[in-house]
Amino acid sequence: MSTQQQDHNNEHKYDALALFSGGLDSILAVKLIQQQNLRVLALHFFSPFFGKPHKIQEWEKEYGFEILPIDVGEEFIKIVKNPKHGHGSYLNPCIDCKILMIKKAKELLPLFNAKFIITGEVIGQRPMSQRKDTMNLIKKEAGVEDLLLRPLCAKNLPPTQIEKENIVDRSKLLDLRGRSRKRQLEIAKKFNIKKIPTPAGGCLLTDPEMANRFKKVLANIKDPSVYDFEICKIGRHFWSNKNWLIIGRNHKENLLITKMVREIDIVLKLSQIPGPIGLIRAHKTKTLSPNLIYYASQLIIKYSKAKSMRRAVKIQIATLDVVKEQEVIPELNTLLDKNPWIGPI
Ligand code: SF4
C-alpha cells in the first residue's frame, strides 16, 4: 500500500470509487453521486500513454472532490503488447484497458470501505468500449456485476444491485446515449462547473503518429519499459534495425533526453557549438557499427547550425564509461543515399 493510499484510507471512508480520467463525463459521474450525499474518491490511472497526474491538485480545487493517482504503466505495457480483446483504430486496447482499471478499483474497495465503483461511460459514445455488449463484457470480465454503476447512462441499463438496494436513487441518475456532448454541457452548467475539459481523450495510443512510434518500440525491443515509451514523446526518432536514435528538437527536449539516459545508451552532441542532443539506444550494443555512429553524428549536424560549415566539426560521443571526441565533416548532400537511420518518425 502506498503512503498516499494509506493517507486517504486513514483520513476518510468513501461510499464509491470513481474511474476519473479528467474528462467531463468522469467529472459528471462523480458529481451525480456526490449529489446524493455519498462520498466519492476519484481514482486517476496513469501510464506513459494517458493520464495527467500533475493536474490532480488543480482538479481537486476546481471540481471539489478528492483524487488519488494510480500508476498502471508497467501492467499497461503488457496489455498494449498483447490485448485479449484487440486494439481499436490505432494501438488503443480500450476493452482491456477498462477491465484493468475497474479490476484495480475493485481491489481498492475494501481499503476505502467503499461499496461500489462508478465510471463516466455513456452507451454508444465510443465504438469499441462503450457499446452495450462490450460494456456488459467489461463488467463481467472485471468481476463487478453487482458493484459497477454507470450514472450517466444508468437509466438505459437494467437496474444494478446498488440501485436495487437503494444505496443510490436511480431516479436521479441519467439516460445519456450517443456521441453528442450537448446534454453533458447543460448538466455541467447546473453543477456550476466552469472549467470544461476539451473532449479529446488525450490517450496517445489513439494518436496515429504516436502509435507509430510505440509500434516501433514494441517491434524492436523485447521487454520495453515505461522509460522507452516516455522517451517516445519527445524528439525526432530514427531506427536502424534494433538501434534507436532520438534527437532533441529544442533546448527543453535536450534537457529531458539527458535525464532519460540509461546504461545502454550512447549520447552524442556537438562539442563546440550548441545543437541537439542525440541518444542512441543500442539494444544490441556489439553490433553498433562506426557507420551508425557516423551517420547519427551527421544527423546531429543536420539539425544544428553546423550544417553549413565546410570544415570538420567535433562531436562528443559518451557511453557509460567512456567519453570520446570524433571529427566529422558535414556531408549533407550525400547523406540521404547512404544513411542507415530510417526516419524521422
Ligand atoms: S482511449 Fe486509451 S485510456 Fe481510453 S480506454 Fe482506450 S486505451 Fe484506455
Side-chain angles (χ1 to χ4, degrees):
M1 195 195 311
S2 75
T3 318
Q4 248 169 326
Q5 284 174 354
Q6 265 170 344
D7 287 349
H8 277 277
N9 187 31
N10 294 338
E11 289 168 21
H12 305 282
K13 299 274 185 257
Y14 299 91
D15 297 293
L17 300 181
L19 263 56
F20 180 75
S21 64
L24 181 57
D25 291 347
S26 61
I27 299 168
L28 295 181
V30 177
K31 289 282 179 192
L32 279 167
I33 298 305
Q34 276 189 324
Q35 194 189 30
Q36 300 202 16
N37 287 326
L38 293 166
R39 294 152 302 174
V40 182
L41 173 65
L43 308 176
H44 183 65
F45 294 94
F46 67 95
S47 76
F49 315 105
F50 54 79
K52 293 176 182 149
H54 59 280
K55 290 192 80 169
I56 283 183
Q57 277 192 335
E58 181 191 324
W59 283 332
E60 286 186 325
K61 210 169 148 205
E62 186 71 33
Y63 303 124
F65 47 80
E66 288 174 85
I67 305 167
L68 181 68
I70 299 179
D71 183 353
V72 287
E74 293 295 346
E75 277 165 273
F76 204 81
I77 290 170
K78 290 183 201 137
I79 287 179
V80 175
K81 239 173 150 174
N82 192 16
K84 182 174 170 195
H85 299 285
H87 293 108
S89 315
Y90 295 100
L91 207 53
N92 45 314
C94 295
I95 297 174
D96 295 77
C97 171
K98 281 277 159 61
I99 293 170
L100 173 78
M101 291 183 193
I102 295 173
K103 271 187 177 167
K104 288 264 164 209
K106 185 187 174 187
E107 280 167 26
L108 290 172
L109 284 175
L111 186 65
F112 295 107
N113 213 21
K115 296 177 205 70
F116 62 102
I117 298 160
I118 60 170
T119 70
E121 290 163 294
V122 172
I123 292 183
Q125 191 181 64
R126 293 200 189 171
M128 189 178 185
S129 60
Q130 297 189 19
R131 290 195 324 247
K132 205 166 186 171
D133 56 338
T134 43
M135 284 168 79
N136 278 335
L137 181 144
I138 289 167
K139 202 172 182 175
K140 205 169 165 194
E141 280 207 21
V144 290
E145 278 155 308
D146 290 337
L147 300 172
L148 181 66
L149 179 71
R150 290 149 164 152
L152 300 192
C153 60
K155 284 184 175 165
N156 290 324
L157 298 167
T160 59
Q161 197 59 28
I162 305 136
E163 291 152 277
K164 285 181 200 162
E165 288 177 16
N166 287 325
I167 298 170
V168 296
D169 180 349
R170 180 173 169 89
S171 70
K172 291 182 181 154
L173 303 177
L174 303 179
D175 60 352
L176 301 188
R177 187 187 285 274
R179 299 176 72 92
S180 164
R181 295 221 317 155
K182 194 168 167 247
R183 279 192 63 204
Q184 276 95 323
L185 292 171
E186 287 163 9
I187 300 158
K189 216 171 184 180
K190 281 188 194 147
F191 281 122
N192 200 21
I193 296 170
K194 299 208 170 68
K195 223 174 194 173
I196 308 283
T198 50
C203 174
L204 297 176
L205 295 165
T206 60
D207 175 311
E209 279 179 29
M210 289 307 299
N212 265 344
R213 288 186 178 187
F214 297 144
K215 275 183 191 166
K216 278 279 187 191
V217 172
L218 290 171
N220 290 311
I221 303 177
K222 193 165 165 261
D223 286 311
S225 73
V226 164
Y227 307 105
D228 291 315
F229 292 103
E230 284 294 347
I231 208 167
C232 283
K233 298 179 195 172
I234 54 170
R236 296 179 175 90
H237 293 242
F238 302 81
W239 285 86
S240 180
N241 296 319
K242 294 197 180 299
N243 300 305
W244 182 11
L245 168 66
I246 301 127
I247 298 181
R249 287 174 294 196
N250 50 47
H251 182 61
K252 196 175 158 198
E253 288 192 345
N254 286 343
L255 285 177
L256 284 170
I257 287 174
T258 53
K259 284 183 189 158
M260 293 183 179
V261 177
R262 293 170 58 204
E263 284 181 9
I264 55 166
D265 297 339
I266 298 168
V267 179
L268 293 93
K269 64 176 184 179
L270 292 155
S271 299
Q272 290 157 330
I273 26 178
I277 302 262
L279 182 150
I280 301 177
R281 191 151 286 180
H283 289 274
K284 289 191 174 172
T285 318
K286 282 179 194 151
T287 65
L288 193 69
S289 66
N291 195 46
L292 280 177
I293 302 264
Y294 174 77
Y295 279 100
S297 305
Q298 287 289 359
L299 285 166
I300 302 276
I301 292 169
K302 179 183 167 184
Y303 294 114
S304 74
K305 286 186 179 148
K307 70 180 173 198
S308 49
M309 290 185 180
R310 298 219 170 140
R311 57 175 169 80
V313 289
K314 284 186 178 156
I315 300 275
Q316 190 190 82
I317 301 157
T319 58
L320 186 64
D321 18 65
V322 191
V323 179
K324 56 183 185 178
E325 235 175 18
Q326 184 171 299
E327 290 207 328
V328 179
I329 298 170
E331 57 154 327
L332 299 175
N333 293 340
T334 54
L335 191 61
L336 287 177
D337 303 338
K338 299 179 202 162
N339 183 11
W341 291 105
I342 297 170
I345 59 162

